[in-house]
Amino acid sequence: MRGTKRPLGAVTSWVRRQPPKVKAFLAVVTGMAALVFIRFIVHDHDNLFVAAEAAHAVGIGVLIYKLTKEKTCAGLSLKSQDLTALFLAVRLYCSFVMEYDIHTILDTATLVATLFVIYMIRFKLRSTYMVDKDNFALYYVVVPCAALALLIHPSTSHNLVNRVSWAFCVYLEAVSVLPQLRLMQNTKIVEPFTAHYVFALGVARFLSCAHWVLQVLDTRGRLLTALGYGLWPSMVLLSEIVQTFILADFCYYYVKSLVGGQLVLRLPSGVV
């Protein structure tokens, strides 16, 4: 056991000493290697989207267990849950009026579970909610996402309101986890259930991003033109990449802590 930990510890220590640009390069290389691996083992890339929804569902399940069994919401950001409910509600509306499919059912189930989490935090477990640590201003993300949606949205034949709404939920989903990351940075210590939840979100975002990137590669860019013209196709892909990299740093420390046998995750300054 000690022999296996030494090389891993040496690699971890070396990565930690590298400047931010080198770390970013290593993250890109690792992500590309993971995409190549997934491309060869997953033949139907639509399964990646279903897997992403499943990973998100697992994360929500961990939250519900924490709230119902542990009877505490300490470490959870109500604002992140509010943003999640908002983009899910908007996406569900768009799904009903634009393209009703299996994702509509998945989003409905996820929204119901998220609303339950919000209810538990806001009413049942209010006394354990870290309101002073959950200090991320929501207008920092909601207003820019709404403005960006007005400027850059799909060029399909749907109603303008529906197209802007679709763009808004895509942009908002990409940054909805920021309040949760800010809360964890404020506390510096993340208990296991919250860490598992955020890691599940990271896995879900990566699988969703892999789905889009591999679809673009397989269609040799035709998927982007099918989404419309202008900046919108590129913004969809960029949003997927952004939400993946937002959680990449946390996932690194999560895996490092898990390998080290630490149940409680301690975040260094500057992770968020």
Short mmCIF file of all heavy atoms in Angstrom, two decimals, residues 7-40:
data_model
loop_
_atom_site.label_atom_id
_atom_site.label_comp_id
_atom_site.label_asym_id
_atom_site.label_seq_id
_atom_site.Cartn_x
_atom_site.Cartn_y
_atom_site.Cartn_z
N PRO A 7 4.28 6.95 -5.40
CA PRO A 7 4.29 7.58 -6.72
C PRO A 7 3.14 8.56 -6.90
O PRO A 7 3.32 9.64 -7.47
CB PRO A 7 4.16 6.39 -7.68
CG PRO A 7 4.64 5.22 -6.90
CD PRO A 7 4.23 5.49 -5.49
N LEU A 8 1.94 8.17 -6.42
CA LEU A 8 0.79 9.05 -6.54
C LEU A 8 1.01 10.33 -5.74
O LEU A 8 0.69 11.43 -6.21
CB LEU A 8 -0.47 8.33 -6.05
CG LEU A 8 -1.77 9.11 -6.16
CD1 LEU A 8 -2.05 9.47 -7.62
CD2 LEU A 8 -2.94 8.31 -5.58
N GLY A 9 1.57 10.19 -4.55
CA GLY A 9 1.84 11.37 -3.75
C GLY A 9 2.88 12.27 -4.40
O GLY A 9 2.78 13.50 -4.33
N ALA A 10 3.87 11.64 -5.06
CA ALA A 10 4.91 12.43 -5.73
C ALA A 10 4.32 13.21 -6.91
O ALA A 10 4.64 14.38 -7.12
CB ALA A 10 6.03 11.51 -6.21
N VAL A 11 3.44 12.53 -7.66
CA VAL A 11 2.80 13.20 -8.80
C VAL A 11 1.91 14.35 -8.32
O VAL A 11 1.92 15.45 -8.88
CB VAL A 11 1.97 12.19 -9.62
CG1 VAL A 11 1.12 12.92 -10.67
CG2 VAL A 11 2.88 11.17 -10.28
N THR A 12 1.13 14.08 -7.26
CA THR A 12 0.25 15.11 -6.71
C THR A 12 1.05 16.31 -6.22
O THR A 12 0.69 17.47 -6.47
CB THR A 12 -0.57 14.53 -5.54
OG1 THR A 12 -1.34 13.43 -6.01
CG2 THR A 12 -1.50 15.58 -4.96
N SER A 13 2.16 16.03 -5.53
CA SER A 13 3.00 17.12 -5.03
C SER A 13 3.61 17.92 -6.17
O SER A 13 3.68 19.15 -6.11
CB SER A 13 4.11 16.53 -4.15
OG SER A 13 4.96 17.54 -3.68
N TRP A 14 4.00 17.22 -7.25
CA TRP A 14 4.59 17.91 -8.40
C TRP A 14 3.57 18.82 -9.09
O TRP A 14 3.87 19.96 -9.43
CB TRP A 14 5.13 16.89 -9.40
CG TRP A 14 5.71 17.52 -10.63
CD1 TRP A 14 6.95 18.06 -10.77
CD2 TRP A 14 5.05 17.70 -11.89
NE1 TRP A 14 7.12 18.55 -12.06
CE2 TRP A 14 5.96 18.35 -12.76
CE3 TRP A 14 3.78 17.35 -12.36
CZ2 TRP A 14 5.64 18.66 -14.07
CZ3 TRP A 14 3.46 17.66 -13.68
CH2 TRP A 14 4.38 18.32 -14.52
N VAL A 15 2.33 18.29 -9.27
CA VAL A 15 1.27 19.08 -9.91
C VAL A 15 0.96 20.31 -9.07
O VAL A 15 0.76 21.41 -9.60
CB VAL A 15 0.01 18.22 -10.12
CG1 VAL A 15 -1.17 19.09 -10.57
CG2 VAL A 15 0.27 17.12 -11.13
N ARG A 16 0.91 20.14 -7.74
CA ARG A 16 0.58 21.24 -6.85
C ARG A 16 1.62 22.36 -6.93
O ARG A 16 1.28 23.54 -6.73
CB ARG A 16 0.45 20.73 -5.42
CG ARG A 16 -0.15 21.75 -4.46
CD ARG A 16 -0.58 21.12 -3.16
NE ARG A 16 0.49 20.36 -2.54
CZ ARG A 16 0.46 19.04 -2.33
NH1 ARG A 16 -0.59 18.34 -2.73
NH2 ARG A 16 1.46 18.41 -1.74
N ARG A 17 2.85 22.03 -7.23
CA ARG A 17 3.91 23.04 -7.29
C ARG A 17 3.95 23.80 -8.61
O ARG A 17 4.65 24.81 -8.72
CB ARG A 17 5.28 22.39 -7.05
CG ARG A 17 5.50 21.84 -5.65
CD ARG A 17 6.97 21.55 -5.41
NE ARG A 17 7.52 20.65 -6.42
CZ ARG A 17 7.55 19.33 -6.28
NH1 ARG A 17 7.06 18.76 -5.19
NH2 ARG A 17 8.07 18.57 -7.23
N GLN A 18 3.21 23.33 -9.59
CA GLN A 18 3.27 23.95 -10.91
C GLN A 18 2.48 25.27 -10.95
O GLN A 18 1.51 25.44 -10.21
CB GLN A 18 2.71 22.99 -11.97
CG GLN A 18 3.44 21.67 -12.05
CD GLN A 18 4.94 21.84 -12.16
OE1 GLN A 18 5.44 22.52 -13.06
NE2 GLN A 18 5.66 21.23 -11.22
N PRO A 19 2.89 26.19 -11.81
CA PRO A 19 2.16 27.46 -11.95
C PRO A 19 0.79 27.22 -12.58
O PRO A 19 0.55 26.18 -13.20
CB PRO A 19 3.07 28.29 -12.88
CG PRO A 19 3.92 27.29 -13.59
CD PRO A 19 4.12 26.16 -12.63
N PRO A 20 -0.14 28.18 -12.44
CA PRO A 20 -1.49 28.01 -12.95
C PRO A 20 -1.56 27.64 -14.42
O PRO A 20 -2.41 26.84 -14.83
CB PRO A 20 -2.14 29.37 -12.69
CG PRO A 20 -1.37 29.94 -11.53
CD PRO A 20 0.03 29.44 -11.71
N LYS A 21 -0.70 28.22 -15.27
CA LYS A 21 -0.75 27.91 -16.70
C LYS A 21 -0.42 26.45 -16.97
O LYS A 21 -1.03 25.81 -17.84
CB LYS A 21 0.22 28.83 -17.45
CG LYS A 21 -0.24 30.28 -17.52
CD LYS A 21 0.72 31.11 -18.36
CE LYS A 21 0.24 32.56 -18.46
NZ LYS A 21 1.16 33.39 -19.28
N VAL A 22 0.54 25.90 -16.24
CA VAL A 22 0.90 24.50 -16.41
C VAL A 22 -0.24 23.60 -15.94
O VAL A 22 -0.57 22.59 -16.58
CB VAL A 22 2.20 24.17 -15.65
CG1 VAL A 22 2.50 22.68 -15.73
CG2 VAL A 22 3.36 24.98 -16.22
N LYS A 23 -0.85 23.97 -14.81
CA LYS A 23 -1.99 23.19 -14.31
C LYS A 23 -3.13 23.19 -15.32
O LYS A 23 -3.79 22.17 -15.54
CB LYS A 23 -2.47 23.76 -12.97
CG LYS A 23 -1.52 23.52 -11.81
CD LYS A 23 -2.09 24.09 -10.52
CE LYS A 23 -1.15 23.86 -9.35
NZ LYS A 23 -1.67 24.46 -8.09
N ALA A 24 -3.39 24.34 -15.92
CA ALA A 24 -4.45 24.44 -16.93
C ALA A 24 -4.13 23.55 -18.13
O ALA A 24 -5.01 22.86 -18.66
CB ALA A 24 -4.63 25.89 -17.36
N PHE A 25 -2.86 23.56 -18.56
CA PHE A 25 -2.45 22.72 -19.68
C PHE A 25 -2.63 21.24 -19.34
O PHE A 25 -3.13 20.46 -20.17
CB PHE A 25 -0.99 23.01 -20.04
CG PHE A 25 -0.42 22.08 -21.07
CD1 PHE A 25 -0.75 22.22 -22.40
CD2 PHE A 25 0.44 21.06 -20.69
CE1 PHE A 25 -0.23 21.36 -23.35
CE2 PHE A 25 0.96 20.19 -21.65
CZ PHE A 25 0.62 20.33 -22.98
N LEU A 26 -2.22 20.85 -18.14
CA LEU A 26 -2.37 19.45 -17.72
C LEU A 26 -3.84 19.05 -17.65
O LEU A 26 -4.20 17.92 -18.01
CB LEU A 26 -1.70 19.25 -16.36
CG LEU A 26 -0.17 19.38 -16.32
CD1 LEU A 26 0.33 19.29 -14.89
CD2 LEU A 26 0.46 18.28 -17.17
N ALA A 27 -4.70 19.97 -17.22
CA ALA A 27 -6.14 19.69 -17.15
C ALA A 27 -6.70 19.47 -18.55
O ALA A 27 -7.51 18.56 -18.77
CB ALA A 27 -6.87 20.83 -16.46
N VAL A 28 -6.27 20.30 -19.51
CA VAL A 28 -6.73 20.15 -20.89
C VAL A 28 -6.28 18.81 -21.47
O VAL A 28 -7.06 18.10 -22.11
CB VAL A 28 -6.22 21.32 -21.76
CG1 VAL A 28 -6.51 21.06 -23.23
CG2 VAL A 28 -6.87 22.63 -21.32
N VAL A 29 -5.01 18.47 -21.24
CA VAL A 29 -4.48 17.20 -21.76
C VAL A 29 -5.22 16.02 -21.15
O VAL A 29 -5.58 15.06 -21.85
CB VAL A 29 -2.96 17.10 -21.46
CG1 VAL A 29 -2.45 15.70 -21.79
CG2 VAL A 29 -2.20 18.14 -22.26
N THR A 30 -5.47 16.07 -19.84
CA THR A 30 -6.21 15.00 -19.17
C THR A 30 -7.62 14.88 -19.72
O THR A 30 -8.13 13.78 -19.96
CB THR A 30 -6.26 15.25 -17.66
OG1 THR A 30 -4.93 15.38 -17.14
CG2 THR A 30 -6.96 14.11 -16.94
N GLY A 31 -8.27 16.03 -19.92
CA GLY A 31 -9.62 16.01 -20.48
C GLY A 31 -9.66 15.43 -21.88
O GLY A 31 -10.55 14.65 -22.22
N MET A 32 -8.68 15.79 -22.71
CA MET A 32 -8.63 15.25 -24.07
C MET A 32 -8.39 13.74 -24.06
O MET A 32 -8.99 13.00 -24.85
CB MET A 32 -7.53 15.96 -24.86
CG MET A 32 -7.82 17.43 -25.14
SD MET A 32 -6.45 18.27 -25.97
CE MET A 32 -6.42 17.37 -27.53
N ALA A 33 -7.52 13.29 -23.16
CA ALA A 33 -7.26 11.85 -23.05
C ALA A 33 -8.52 11.10 -22.62
O ALA A 33 -8.82 10.02 -23.14
CB ALA A 33 -6.13 11.60 -22.06
N ALA A 34 -9.26 11.71 -21.70
CA ALA A 34 -10.52 11.09 -21.24
C ALA A 34 -11.53 11.03 -22.38
O ALA A 34 -12.26 10.03 -22.53
CB ALA A 34 -11.09 11.86 -20.06
N LEU A 35 -11.59 12.08 -23.20
CA LEU A 35 -12.51 12.10 -24.34
C LEU A 35 -12.16 11.00 -25.35
O LEU A 35 -13.05 10.32 -25.88
CB LEU A 35 -12.48 13.46 -25.02
CG LEU A 35 -13.22 14.60 -24.31
CD1 LEU A 35 -13.00 15.91 -25.07
CD2 LEU A 35 -14.70 14.31 -24.19
N VAL A 36 -10.87 10.83 -25.62
CA VAL A 36 -10.44 9.79 -26.55
C VAL A 36 -10.83 8.42 -26.02
O VAL A 36 -11.33 7.55 -26.76
CB VAL A 36 -8.92 9.87 -26.78
CG1 VAL A 36 -8.43 8.67 -27.58
CG2 VAL A 36 -8.57 11.16 -27.51
N PHE A 37 -10.62 8.21 -24.71
CA PHE A 37 -10.97 6.94 -24.08
C PHE A 37 -12.47 6.67 -24.18
O PHE A 37 -12.90 5.57 -24.56
CB PHE A 37 -10.52 6.96 -22.62
CG PHE A 37 -10.88 5.71 -21.86
CD1 PHE A 37 -10.21 4.52 -22.09
CD2 PHE A 37 -11.90 5.73 -20.92
CE1 PHE A 37 -10.54 3.37 -21.40
CE2 PHE A 37 -12.24 4.59 -20.22
CZ PHE A 37 -11.56 3.39 -20.45
N ILE A 38 -13.28 7.68 -23.87
CA ILE A 38 -14.73 7.52 -23.92
C ILE A 38 -15.20 7.26 -25.35
O ILE A 38 -16.11 6.45 -25.59
CB ILE A 38 -15.43 8.77 -23.35
CG1 ILE A 38 -15.19 8.86 -21.84
CG2 ILE A 38 -16.92 8.76 -23.65
CD1 ILE A 38 -15.74 10.12 -21.21
N ARG A 39 -14.57 7.92 -26.32
CA ARG A 39 -14.99 7.76 -27.71
C ARG A 39 -14.85 6.31 -28.18
O ARG A 39 -15.65 5.82 -28.99
CB ARG A 39 -14.16 8.68 -28.61
CG ARG A 39 -14.65 8.71 -30.06
CD ARG A 39 -13.89 9.70 -30.89
NE ARG A 39 -14.48 9.86 -32.21
CZ ARG A 39 -14.00 10.64 -33.15
NH1 ARG A 39 -12.91 11.37 -32.90
NH2 ARG A 39 -14.59 10.73 -34.33
N PHE A 40 -13.83 5.60 -27.66
CA PHE A 40 -13.60 4.23 -28.09
C PHE A 40 -14.47 3.22 -27.34
O PHE A 40 -14.76 2.15 -27.88
CB PHE A 40 -12.12 3.87 -27.92
CG PHE A 40 -11.24 4.39 -29.02
CD1 PHE A 40 -10.42 5.48 -28.80
CD2 PHE A 40 -11.25 3.82 -30.28
CE1 PHE A 40 -9.62 5.99 -29.81
CE2 PHE A 40 -10.45 4.32 -31.31
CZ PHE A 40 -9.63 5.40 -31.07
#
